[in-house]
């Protein structure tokens, strides 16, 4: 392996590792909503439910969250490109497909529901908070469970790709140079 290809291998490994970390963060966010946040809020009355979800939807729009939410997609796509000729490529492609679906469901379902909930206004002045909650909660929870499953699947695929990448045998620069020298013959 030449010095240049060694550098590309290290860079590709770094991108794959970063994609795995970002995916883990996002899978964790969706998971904690599915396992704790939404079941906890389900115990709340309608106005409290609406107020807390409105607050969550506002606060989550921050640079740190967007970095991991978008970063998981971008880093996985870059890793898929970098690994297109590698044996572990199918795991990265599967991760990209799974997270792309989760990402699209977020854009097509969860964000529009969040926006509609925000437009409902101040929970203290909503005439029928039960109706507002009913139009939001079940659909949002179901699609979040789908996002949690897809992003967890993507994380598992990236972890498998990283394991295969890490244990992939490759020749050292020393062995490659020795193979071409007359001393090794």
């Amino acid at each position: 392996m030449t010095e240049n290809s060694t550098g590309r291998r290290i860079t590709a490994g770094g991108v794959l590792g970063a994609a795995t970390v970002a995916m883990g963060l996002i899978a964790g966010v969706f998971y904690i909503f599915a396992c704790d946040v939404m079941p906890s809020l389900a115990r709340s009355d309608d106005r409290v439910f609406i107020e807390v979800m409105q607050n969550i939807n506002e606060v989550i729009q921050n640079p740190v969250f967007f970095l991991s939410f978008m970063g998981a997609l971008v880093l996985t796509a870059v890793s898929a490109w970098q690994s297109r000729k590698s044996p572990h490529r199918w795991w990265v492609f599967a991760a990209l497909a799974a997270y792309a679906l989760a990402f699209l469901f977020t854009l097509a379902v969860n964000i529009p529901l969040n926006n509609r909930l925000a437009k409902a206004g101040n929970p203290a002045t909503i005439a029928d908070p039960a109706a507002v909650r009913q139009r939001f909660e079940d659909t949002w929870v179901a699609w979040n469970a789908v996002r949690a499953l897809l992003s967890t699947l993507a994380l598992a695929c990236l972890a498998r790709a990283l394991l295969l990448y890490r244990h992939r045998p490759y020749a050292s620069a020393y062995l490659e140079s020795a193979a071409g020298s007359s001393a090794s013959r």
Side-chain angles (χ1 to χ4, degrees), residues 64-88:
V64 174
F65 175 76
F66 283 130
L67 186 62
S68 53
F69 181 66
M70 296 295 292
L73 184 63
V74 171
L75 289 166
T76 303
V78 170
S79 185
W81 174 257
Q82 290 176 328
S83 67
R84 67 193 180 280
K85 295 179 183 176
S86 301
H88 65 276

Side-chain angles (χ1 to χ4, degrees), residues 23 29 32 46 60 63 69 72-73 81 97 100-101 105-106 110 121 124 132 135 137 141 167 171 177:
M23 194 66 69
V29 168
I32 198 69
D46 298 333
I60 204 163
F69 181 66
L73 184 63
W81 174 257
L101 282 173
F105 292 148
T106 300
N110 293 85
V132 170
R135 288 190 299 270
E137 186 174 18
V141 167
H167 295 301
S177 67

